């Protein structure tokens, strides 16, 4: 994505033309109201897929067998994205949009709710958000971010991308379990793409890939719509079990029944205190570094960051991002965080919070069209997961693999996540191996004290089974 050239911007010395201009510093940043509106619309188009995708990811039954209603998750997702994006735009005046964070929602669905209920899982998200707000308000968040090696930060993003892509492959039936010791997984059925839904996944995936390669705005959303239309046509000619009927019409009042459905009364007979602490720690870690890295990158893209990567109202931005986790947990839509797709609007020239306000308002309007999300077949939506995962993999180009002390921890971080179906396991493997390799190869002094604390925490996490048995913890 390219930034708007200096030659196309309005002169910085030109006087603001209105109160709106002065508040958002539109003229000062070389933009116009029209440019900001256009940028906000483009950002929404590139992000709208999350309203379809988030219900799919959060459809996993929890430990009690409860499944979140797709329509309610979609409405909560749009509501949270709208409220947080508008709030962020007004407070920070930055052109960054918010929505349910990919990776965090996957961790909830595929790791946490195997031990707790959805209401308890969302309570953990809220706790995570409160901690982030405290860390951001005190300045500790930036301090910790600066202490962690950049290679591990990038490796976490790469690992989450591989994990999300693997989930997409499994949900589409493109990768299936064989039930055998070797090989444990296989392609489709008997090594072939043998079902119509899986073929639709492949077509949607390739279409999305072509559109992204052509730099088409809203490529993922277009691919989802096209895949759904194709699925409807194929299903009409060759029925394979899809129901494209509308029971309540295209437009409907949003189902906000999940708002406030959090439970802080954790069942300690079902999950240990150690496990709960590590769940919060992993949520915190994923939320913490992904958001800061994304905001720094977007600020640089918008020419708003200095040589250190700091940008206007950075402290307020980090606090509001923590509030996004609180709001996302409170609405059962998962932690809301800044989306890298905001770069699409920045590429269109957006430089201020007015663009964020426009994006947020469009998300609020999208709440009334959530019945449309039920039309998208799971296999078609799975293609979006793979596409997002592939784009997250691009961060690997910024890692120098010439030092094996870097290579092994990065490799373990990125591969353990999908292979164990756990983001926490990947982060832990990366941090522990980083500490061990550096400590025993003459580089112990380069390890920040905070990394030692994190490493000890992950050792306890990996050994929690024997530890709980030793102390008789259920």
């Amino acid at each position: 994505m390219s930034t708007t050239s200096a030659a196309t911007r309005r002169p910085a010395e030109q006087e603001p033309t209105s109160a709106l201009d002065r508040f958002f510093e539109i003229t000062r940043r070389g933009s116009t109201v029209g440019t900001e509106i256009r940028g906000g619309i483009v950002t929404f188009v590139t992000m709208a897929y999350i309203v379809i995708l988030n219900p799919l990811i959060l459809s996993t039954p929890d430990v009690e067998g409860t499944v979140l209603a797709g329509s309610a998750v979609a409405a909560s997702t749009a509501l949270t994205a709208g409220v947080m994006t508008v709030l962020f735009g007004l407070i920070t005046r930055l052109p960054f949009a918010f929505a349910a964070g990919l990776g965090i929602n996957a961790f909830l669905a595929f790791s946490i709710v195997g031990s707790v209920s959805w209401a308890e899982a969302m309570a953990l998200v809220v706790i995570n958000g409160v901690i982030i707000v405290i860390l951001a308000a005190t300045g500790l968040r930036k301090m910790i971010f600066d202490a962690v090696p950049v290679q591990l930060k990038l490796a976490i993003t790469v690992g989450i991308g591989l994990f999300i892509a693997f989930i997409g492959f499994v949900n589409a039936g493109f990768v299936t379990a064989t039930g055998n010791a070797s090989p444990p997984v296989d392609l489709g059925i008997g090594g072939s793409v043998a079902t119509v839904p899986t073929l639709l996944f492949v077509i949607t995936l390739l279409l999305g890939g072509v559109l992204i390669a052509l730099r088409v705005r809203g490529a993922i959303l277009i691919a989802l719509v096209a895949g759904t239309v194709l699925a409807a046509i194929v299903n009409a000619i060759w029925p394979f079990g899809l129901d494209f009927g509308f029971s309540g019409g295209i437009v409907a009042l949003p189902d906000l029944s999940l708002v406030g459905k959090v439970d802080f009364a954790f069942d300690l007979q079902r999950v240990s205190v150690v496990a709960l602490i590590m769940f919060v720690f992993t949520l915190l870690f994923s939320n913490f570094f992904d958001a800061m890295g994304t905001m720094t990158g977007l600020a640089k893209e918008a020419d708003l960051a200095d040589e250190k990567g700091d940008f206007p109202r950075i402290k307020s931005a980090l606090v509001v991002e923590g509030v996004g986790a609180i709001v996302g947990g409170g609405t059962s839509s998962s932690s809301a965080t800044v989306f890298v797709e905001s770069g699409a609007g920045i590429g269109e020239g957006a430089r201020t919070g007015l663009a964020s306000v426009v994006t947020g308002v469009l998300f609020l309007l999208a709440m009334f069209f959530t019945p449309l999300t039920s039309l998208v077949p799971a296999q078609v939506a799975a293609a979006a997961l793979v596409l997002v995962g592939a784009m997250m993999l691009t961060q690997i180009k910024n890692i120098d693999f010439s030092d094996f002390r870097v290579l092994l921890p990065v490799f373990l971080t990125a591969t353990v996540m999908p292979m164990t179906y756990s983001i926490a396991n990947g982060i832990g493997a990366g941090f522990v191996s980083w500490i061990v390799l550096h400590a025993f190869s003459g580089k112990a002094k380069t390890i920040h004290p905070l990394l030692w604390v994190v490493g000890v925490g992950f050792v306890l996490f990996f050994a929690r089974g024997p530890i709980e048995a030793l102390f008789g913890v259920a």
Side-chain angles (χ1 to χ4, degrees):
M1 294 167 288
S2 61
T3 55
T4 304
S5 65
T8 63
R9 298 181 184 177
R10 297 176 67 183
E13 65 272 11
Q14 185 173 335
E15 290 297 322
T17 57
S18 66
L20 181 71
D21 191 341
R22 288 191 295 273
F23 180 79
F24 286 110
E25 302 174 346
I26 297 172
T27 299
R28 180 181 173 185
R29 295 185 185 176
S31 186
T32 66
V33 172
T35 298
E36 295 301 306
I37 293 175
R38 184 174 70 249
I41 293 173
V42 169
T43 294
F44 171 77
V45 171
T46 60
M47 287 177 60
Y49 70 87
I50 192 62
V51 180
I52 298 172
L53 204 54
N54 203 37
L56 172 71
I57 296 175
L58 299 185
S59 63
T60 305
D62 65 15
V63 69
E64 298 174 348
T66 301
V67 177
L68 300 180
S71 59
V73 175
S76 290
T77 300
L79 171 65
T80 304
V83 169
M84 287 310 307
T85 302
V86 170
L87 183 66
F88 189 84
L90 292 175
I91 292 178
T92 71
R93 278 82 139 181
L94 295 170
F96 307 163
F98 277 57
L102 290 165
I104 300 173
N105 52 10
F107 178 56
L108 287 172
F110 300 103
S111 296
I112 292 184
V113 297
S115 303
V116 301
S117 68
W118 272 114
E120 291 170 332
M122 293 304 171
L124 292 174
V125 175
V126 173
I127 294 172
N128 152 63
V130 171
I131 295 174
I132 289 178
V133 169
I134 294 173
L135 291 175
T138 58
L140 288 173
R141 183 177 186 183
K142 191 172 186 305
M143 186 185 305
I144 296 172
F145 180 79
D146 294 338
V148 176
V150 65
Q151 296 93 331
L152 288 179
K153 299 171 189 173
L154 296 173
I156 291 170
T157 301
V158 172
I160 292 175
L162 292 174
F163 181 41
I164 289 174
F166 188 60
I167 292 170
F169 285 130
V170 172
N171 287 351
F174 190 79
V175 172
T176 55
T178 63
N180 302 320
S182 181
V185 294
D186 199 356
L187 172 67
I189 299 175
S192 301
V193 178
T195 67
V196 173
T198 303
L199 179 60
L200 288 170
F201 158 78
V202 173
I203 294 173
T204 305
L205 174 64
L206 295 177
L207 173 61
V210 170
L211 293 174
I212 292 172
L214 293 174
R215 301 179 183 274
V216 176
R217 302 297 187 192
I220 294 178
L221 181 62
I222 294 172
L224 286 172
V225 172
T228 300
V229 171
L230 178 61
I233 295 172
V234 173
N235 188 64
I237 300 172
W238 186 4
F240 57 95
L242 292 183
D243 180 14
F244 287 97
F246 280 109
S247 58
I250 296 177
V251 181
L253 290 175
D255 179 359
L256 301 179
S257 59
L258 292 177
V259 176
K261 296 294 184 180
V262 294
D263 183 6
F264 293 94
F266 302 103
D267 186 350
L268 298 181
Q269 298 298 316
R270 188 168 57 201
V271 60
S272 69
V273 174
V274 173
L276 289 174
I277 291 174
M278 292 313 300
F279 284 153
V280 172
F281 179 80
T282 306
L283 283 169
L284 182 65
F285 220 83
S286 299
N287 216 148
F288 194 105
F289 291 106
D290 181 66
M292 283 204 69
T294 301
M295 280 196 270
T296 300
L298 291 173
K300 289 180 179 178
E301 178 73 12
D303 292 334
L304 297 175
D306 60 22
E307 62 277 2
K308 295 180 180 179
D310 294 336
F311 49 87
R313 301 183 181 87
I314 185 171
K315 188 172 183 178
S316 297
L318 296 177
V319 170
V320 175
E321 199 277 331
V323 173
I326 298 174
V327 174
T331 59
S332 295
S333 62
S334 181
S335 177
T337 186
V338 63
F339 254 51
V340 71
E341 282 83 354
S342 303
I346 291 172
E348 287 293 319
R351 294 293 180 274
T352 77
L354 178 58
S356 297
V357 172
V358 172
T359 302
V361 170
L362 291 175
F363 266 116
L364 293 176
L365 292 175
M367 283 195 302
F368 298 91
F369 295 89
T370 52
L372 288 172
T373 62
S374 63
L375 289 179
V376 183
Q379 292 80 5
V380 171
L385 286 175
V386 177
L387 292 169
V388 171
M391 289 188 288
M392 294 177 74
L393 189 65
T394 60
Q395 291 297 325
I396 202 168
K397 71 177 184 295
N398 297 314
I399 303 176
D400 182 2
F401 290 112
S402 59
D403 188 344
F404 197 76
R405 284 173 294 218
V406 172
L407 174 58
L408 183 60
V410 168
F411 173 77
L412 291 175
T413 301
T415 58
V416 169
M417 283 189 197
M419 289 183 178
T420 65
Y421 238 57
S422 169
I423 293 173
N425 290 345
I427 295 176
F431 271 68
V432 173
S433 61
W434 180 281
I435 293 170
V436 171
L437 264 65
H438 282 74
F440 289 94
S441 64
K443 296 289 185 178
K445 292 183 179 180
T446 65
I447 304 173
H448 196 283
L450 287 172
L451 289 186
W452 285 104
V453 176
V454 173
V456 170
F458 270 119
V459 169
L460 294 175
F461 175 66
F462 288 133
R464 67 189 183 279
I467 292 174
E468 291 169 3
L470 179 64
F471 290 98
V473 180

